[in-house]
Amino acid sequence: MELFTERGYEQTTVADIAAHAGLTERTFFRHFADKREVLFPVGTWFHDLFVEPVAAAPDDISPIGAVTRALATAAKTMEAEPGRENARARHRIVASNPDLLEREVGKLAGVAAAIAAAQRGRGVEEPAASLTAELCIAAFRVAFERWVADGETRSLGELIEESLEGIAAAVA
Amino acid sequence: MELFTERGYEQTTVADIAAHAGLTERTFFRHFADKREVLFPVGTWFHDLFVEPVAAAPDDISPIGAVTRALATAAKTMEAEPGRENARARHRIVASNPDLLEREVGKLAGVAAAIAAAQRGRGVEEPAASLTAELCIAAFRVAFERWVADGETRSLGELIEESLEGIAAAVA
DNA sequence: GTCGTAATGACAGTTACTGACATCACTGTA
DNA sequence: TACAGTGATGTCAGTAACTGTCATTACGAC
């Protein structure tokens, strides 16, 4: 992040990153699949936040209800864990490079697919499973984009709620 | 496409493609920004199909109505222009490689951003502009995925309608 | 103290991509 | 017809992202 904010993502080589971190280029690639991956959380972060809650939702919760609950808890975690300023700094870098943006939406698409699978696991039929998953990610993406925008002060939770209400209002 | 279906995307080098097409590697990169780009339509295809109709929608059409109309015409064009079997062959290749999948969702995200801008251009306020755009792309993505699935015979138009109905039913 | 295991370093190699310059085909004009 | 200009292509050298392989080192169990 330091190097990226100083000279920019493309002007920073992974040899630079490795040297700055005190290790070898080869070792870098043993920890991260590729250069972009340094900017994305490792492990099961996304999974724990988005798909686990959906998979664990009780049977009497509707498909849209399951993703709504997941979004609410995810919002709380994200406000605390990386923090808003960290998210803003990271977002500035990601937004500055097409490859990084692509990776970001790719990750979210992967999460959407996992949510859809979780929905199917709770007995939701197919068009609904994928649609509610995509809805969830769409609501999150729009809310997150506003959350990290300059001058925005409302909480991520509020913005997600507003997204969900906006969707309901749009299709009404 | 020939080479990709024969040996697979990753096993095909750009030098292979260039040689097979009777030109130089350098010339390839003058026509395509990178290796993945060969599998994506050139020019203003997406734009003409998705954002132009939204931008041109009359003022008395609701935000969701504008994207619904765009989806309907896009469906008709796609059934004819590349054809279903071509779409299936291409989709098999794209689905076989994470980088290609990433590029695909990246392209769609770009289209969503352009649709949102078009909505704003017609006076739609901000949460609604982005949300209806994302909704449009979500409905399309799910419908398209089913359209190219093995054994599916319904038309893309039908599947898109089913997507839109599914969204409405989910949030009702 | 030694052995096994996992992480790291060292190094060579492939491939995607880029910049710079020369060459060639083509088109309009005197 | 000769010629100048323009755009597409070939050639070549170079960078940087990745990968395979093997040696080395750190570290915990016994």
Side-chain angles (χ1 to χ4, degrees):
Chain A
M1 293 264 297
E2 292 174 23
L3 294 174
F4 289 161
T5 42
E6 278 173 27
R7 1 179 166 167
Y9 173 78
E10 299 155 45
Q11 280 65 46
T12 307
T13 176
V14 328
D16 293 339
I17 304 174
H20 195 261
L23 27 87
T24 298
E25 197 174 346
R26 190 67 185 88
T27 304
F28 173 92
F29 284 112
R30 276 193 266 255
H31 287 276
F32 303 100
D34 54 49
K35 183 183 172 187
R36 307 172 227 172
E37 208 67 13
V38 269
L39 282 164
F40 295 86
V42 294
T44 58
W45 209 71
F46 277 127
H47 193 271
D48 296 348
L49 234 52
F50 286 94
V51 355
E52 187 55 38
V54 171
D59 288 350
D60 60 336
I61 301 288
S62 72
I64 195 74
V67 301
T68 301
R69 284 159 43 118
L71 280 170
T73 62
K76 279 204 191 66
T77 310
M78 289 194 60
E79 307 246 25
E81 272 277 358
R84 193 166 190 163
E85 278 317 307
N86 274 17
R88 280 205 170 105
R90 180 186 160 285
H91 186 258
R92 260 191 296 274
I93 300 172
V94 171
S96 77
N97 180 275
D99 289 352
L100 291 173
L101 271 173
E102 213 172 273
R103 174 61 52 88
E104 178 118 308
V105 298
K107 290 270 184 196
L108 288 175
V111 176
I115 295 174
Q119 293 277 43
R120 265 177 264 126
R122 354 181 359 253
V124 179
E125 295 291 337
E126 193 24 72
S130 289
L131 286 169
T132 50
E134 294 284 341
L135 234 59
C136 170
I137 295 301
F140 173 77
R141 195 211 308 278
V142 171
F144 181 81
E145 204 73 36
R146 306 177 80 200
W147 186 56
V148 295
D150 287 341
E152 179 61 64
T153 59
R154 277 167 294 177
S155 74
L156 183 56
E158 287 178 79
L159 292 166
I160 286 178
E161 261 186 62
E162 197 173 311
S163 276
L164 291 168
E165 289 164 11
I167 292 175
V171 300
Chain B
M1 293 265 295
E2 291 175 23
L3 294 174
F4 289 161
T5 43
E6 277 173 28
R7 2 178 164 167
Y9 173 78
E10 299 155 41
Q11 280 65 45
T12 306
T13 175
V14 176
D16 292 339
I17 304 173
H20 195 261
L23 27 87
T24 299
E25 198 175 343
R26 189 67 185 87
T27 304
F28 175 91
F29 283 112
R30 275 194 265 256
H31 287 276
F32 303 100
D34 56 48
K35 183 183 171 187
R36 308 173 227 170
E37 208 67 13
V38 271
L39 282 164
F40 295 86
V42 294
T44 58
W45 209 72
F46 276 127
H47 193 271
D48 296 348
L49 234 52
F50 286 94
V51 354
E52 186 56 39
V54 171
D59 288 350
D60 61 336
I61 301 288
S62 72
I64 194 76
V67 301
T68 301
R69 284 158 43 118
L71 281 170
T73 63
K76 279 203 192 67
T77 309
M78 288 195 60
E79 306 248 26
E81 272 277 359
R84 194 165 190 164
E85 277 319 307
N86 274 16
R88 280 205 170 105
R90 180 186 161 285
H91 187 258
R92 260 191 296 274
I93 300 172
V94 171
S96 77
N97 180 275
D99 289 352
L100 292 173
L101 270 174
E102 213 172 272
R103 173 62 52 89
E104 178 119 308
V105 298
K107 292 270 184 194
L108 288 175
V111 175
I115 295 174
Q119 293 277 42
R120 266 177 263 127
R122 345 176 16 245
V124 179
E125 293 292 337
E126 195 20 76
S130 288
L131 287 169
T132 50
E134 294 283 342
L135 233 59
C136 170
I137 294 301
F140 173 77
R141 195 211 308 278
V142 171
F144 181 80
E145 205 72 37
R146 306 177 80 199
W147 187 56
V148 295
D150 287 341
E152 180 61 66
T153 60
R154 277 169 294 176
S155 74
L156 182 56
E158 286 179 78
L159 292 166
I160 287 180
E161 261 187 61
E162 197 174 310
S163 276
L164 291 168
E165 289 164 10
I167 292 176
V171 301

